[in-house]
Amino acid sequence: MKINTEDILKKLGIQELNEMQNSTAKAWSTNKDLVLLSPTGSGKTLAFLLPMLRNLNPTERGVQALILSPARELSLQIESVFKSLGTSLKVNCCYGGHSMKIEKNNLTTPPAVLIGTPGRIADHIRRENVDCSKIKILILDEFDKALELGFQKEMTEVIQALPNRIKKILTSATKGIELPEFAQMNFPKEINFLPEEKQIALTQMKVIANDKDKLAALFQLICKVGDQPSLVFCNHRDAVERIGELLLDEEISCDIFHGGLEQSDRERALIKFRNGSNHLLITTDLASRGLDIPEIKNVIHYQLPRVEEAFVHRNGRTARMHANGNSFIVLAEAERVPDFIPEDMEIMPLLEEISVPKLPEWETLYVGVGKKEKVNKVDLVGFFFKMGKMKKDELGKIDVLDHTSYVAVKRGLGKKLIGKLKHEKVKKKKVKIELSF
């Protein structure tokens, strides 16, 4: 398939590919199997999607490329990037928590590119909803995370269902992965862009609580860092829920994110965090890998991870792209500290007099139409400017999903816009608009 990389990059607002992406494209054309090692947030998705396009035939019916990723959010993120390339190729995304019936119907007209989590893809193959005979490319994204989450059985089942002679690309943000036999990689070419040393731009400090419950120390720390974008990591979902409720009771704007939430709630939490409607996300390790969450200033370890690798990946959410970042460890006075935590870490003093961080500059409106209703960002920009009489600096980031959209507006404008727009139509469709909490 002939693609014009310059046109695609222009459409994406990217001036040129980075060194890792160029190296991947070059290796793709000369080697069968590839192992791409590069940090989260470095552009791995674009690195494998662009050269993949050259191997796809738009006139051929059937799935030609299969992309497995360990998480729903990452699968949806890959699908979004692929759609942004603006090709005519059909793509489908399948994952647990999504309607199996809808997915089966979508697969009756096979996509050229199928993206999904190992469990759901294996399920579709078992049910014979997917014909694997035309697949010529398999991409195992964040492979180390998939192994960590225990998807060996499902990935084995999927790989065994594929044709023998196919190209495999494995990506990881971790060094030293031992390729299991089931991966069936044939002397892969390794492309290693992982840094040799830890990020020097990361400042690590610990906060010592005065009691066993550490919540008071966490509250003081959040007040001290103020409105900087921050992630608070916990090991368990119930801790995420409890902390989120307590912070909201203290009138601190935040959202929660973990695997037990509905997919729509997780999407909304990420959207509001990215568009600046919330500066604080309380999460499990689900948010430590793969997800596109840029410009994190602070990582706060409320509960310490059990292994060093998880600690490194959490910290990797900040101090990215040459920016400075902070990692805070909240400890009870007698809490045992794992060996991988530096002993000489500086203790950060907390202020006795604190003030709750100011509310974010933006708030988010839910709009009840999306891509399936043929509505795009341009339509919504025109709608809010024309019907809402908004100024340019009052409208923020817009995210358009399949049947819903989220629009960031300057805080305080939301309720006024809802009243002003309740009888107006988007592309001749009357839509529901409400504040997204």
Side-chain angles (χ1 to χ4, degrees):
M1 179 180 183
K2 291 184 179 180
I3 65 165
N4 189 319
T5 303
E6 290 184 4
D7 287 347
I8 290 177
L9 294 182
K10 186 176 180 181
K11 189 183 301 180
L12 297 175
I14 299 172
Q15 290 187 341
E16 60 183 11
L17 295 176
N18 61 34
E19 185 182 356
M20 178 271 292
Q21 293 163 337
N22 281 320
S23 296
T24 303
K26 183 178 179 181
W28 187 293
S29 62
T30 56
N31 296 276
K32 184 181 178 184
D33 293 341
L34 303 176
V35 173
L36 173 58
L37 306 177
S38 191
T40 297
S42 58
K44 289 197 294 290
T45 303
L46 204 57
F48 62 69
L49 287 182
L50 284 176
M52 182 192 78
L53 286 178
R54 300 192 185 99
N55 295 118
L56 303 183
N57 182 355
T59 64
E60 185 173 320
R61 179 181 169 87
V63 180
Q64 300 175 58
L66 174 62
I67 304 174
L68 295 183
S69 82
R72 289 179 282 186
E73 286 77 16
L74 182 53
S75 296
L76 288 164
Q77 188 172 296
I78 296 169
E79 180 193 33
S80 176
V81 174
F82 183 85
K83 287 181 175 179
S84 73
L85 303 182
T87 75
S88 60
L89 295 164
K90 184 184 178 186
V91 59
N92 280 136
C93 188
C94 301
Y95 49 87
H98 193 222
S99 166
M100 176 64 81
K101 183 178 179 181
I102 291 174
E103 291 182 356
K104 182 180 178 181
N105 289 338
N106 287 337
L107 293 169
T108 54
T109 303
V113 179
L114 179 59
I115 305 166
T117 51
R120 181 51 66 95
I121 296 297
D123 199 357
H124 279 300
I125 291 173
R126 267 184 243 118
R127 296 168 187 247
E128 299 184 347
N129 297 335
V130 177
D131 178 3
C132 298
S133 63
K134 300 287 181 64
I135 294 176
K136 50 191 174 185
I137 298 169
L138 172 66
I139 297 170
L140 301 166
D141 196 25
E142 296 284 359
F143 182 69
D144 54 324
K145 184 65 175 177
L147 291 177
E148 183 185 317
L149 292 173
F151 285 126
Q152 292 92 328
K153 181 176 178 290
E154 291 84 356
M155 288 192 292
T156 301
E157 187 176 345
V158 171
I159 290 172
Q160 288 176 346
L162 303 181
N164 291 329
R165 297 179 178 274
I166 66 170
K167 185 180 185 71
K168 298 189 185 77
I169 294 86
L170 181 154
T171 85
S172 173
T174 302
K175 293 180 183 177
I177 311 178
E178 288 190 20
L179 296 179
E181 189 175 335
F182 74 77
Q184 299 178 22
M185 301 285 278
N186 298 318
F187 305 103
K189 165 75 173 177
E190 184 178 283
I191 306 165
N192 188 351
F193 277 83
L194 291 173
E196 290 299 322
E197 298 178 0
K198 292 183 179 180
Q199 292 277 5
I200 58 172
L202 180 66
T203 301
Q204 298 189 75
M205 290 173 280
K206 56 186 175 185
V207 173
I208 308 298
N210 292 325
D211 52 36
K212 291 181 180 179
D213 190 0
K214 305 192 291 186
L215 275 171
L218 176 64
F219 175 71
Q220 287 178 288
L221 175 59
I222 289 170
C223 290
K224 186 163 185 174
V225 300
D227 58 358
Q228 298 172 344
S230 305
L231 293 175
V232 176
F233 280 104
C234 304
N235 295 338
H236 309 291
R237 296 173 182 177
D238 58 349
V240 170
E241 299 271 359
R242 183 167 65 103
I243 292 170
E245 289 176 4
L246 289 169
L247 291 178
L248 288 173
D249 287 344
E250 297 289 346
E251 298 185 349
I252 292 180
S253 178
C254 66
D255 258 321
I256 62 172
F257 184 84
H258 61 68
L261 297 173
E262 292 291 330
Q263 178 65 25
S264 58
D265 292 331
R266 287 156 67 175
E267 286 178 345
R268 184 171 63 249
L270 288 178
I271 285 169
K272 289 170 65 182
F273 192 68
R274 289 181 187 127
N275 71 19
S277 294
N278 265 326
H279 296 315
L280 187 63
L281 190 65
I282 320 298
T283 179
T284 60
D285 281 322
L286 184 62
S288 69
R289 300 282 294 278
L291 300 182
D292 180 18
I293 311 177
E295 298 176 7
I296 303 298
K297 183 64 176 175
N298 306 298
V299 167
I300 300 172
H301 305 270
Y302 180 75
Q303 294 175 324
L304 289 172
R306 298 176 182 84
V307 296
E308 183 175 10
E309 184 181 342
F311 183 67
V312 170
H313 282 296
R314 287 182 181 184
N315 286 341
R317 301 310 317 192
T318 187
R320 295 162 67 182
M321 304 306 287
H322 310 295
N324 295 323
N326 305 307
S327 170
F328 299 100
I329 297 171
V330 182
L331 295 170
E333 286 184 341
E335 185 172 354
R336 180 186 171 277
V337 180
D339 294 338
F340 55 81
I341 304 294
E343 292 183 5
D344 58 349
M345 194 178 291
E346 180 184 348
I347 297 176
M348 180 179 184
L350 295 175
L351 302 175
E352 292 186 8
E353 294 185 12
I354 57 175
S355 57
V356 173
K358 63 182 180 181
L359 291 172
E361 180 183 3
W362 303 94
E363 59 186 359
T364 298
L365 290 177
Y366 162 93
V367 183
V369 288
K371 297 173 186 175
K372 299 294 186 182
E373 289 76 35
K374 309 298 182 186
V375 170
N376 58 35
K377 290 183 183 180
V378 175
D379 298 323
L380 291 174
V381 168
F383 174 73
F384 278 90
F385 279 163
K386 184 178 179 181
M387 304 300 181
K389 309 296 183 188
M390 296 182 70
K391 300 174 183 176
K392 189 175 181 180
D393 63 351
E394 293 175 336
L395 187 65
K397 193 173 184 296
I398 296 175
D399 291 272
V400 182
L401 309 182
D402 280 351
H403 294 288
T404 57
S405 298
Y406 294 92
V407 180
V409 299
K410 279 292 178 70
R411 186 164 294 276
L413 290 179
K415 289 184 178 179
K416 297 175 185 176
L417 286 166
I418 291 170
K420 189 181 291 187
L421 300 172
K422 62 182 178 181
H423 299 302
E424 303 295 344
K425 296 180 179 180
V426 178
K427 295 188 79 171
K428 300 182 179 180
K429 297 180 180 69
K430 189 174 180 181
V431 297
K432 180 180 181 180
I433 301 177
E434 60 187 21
L435 278 171
S436 180
F437 294 105

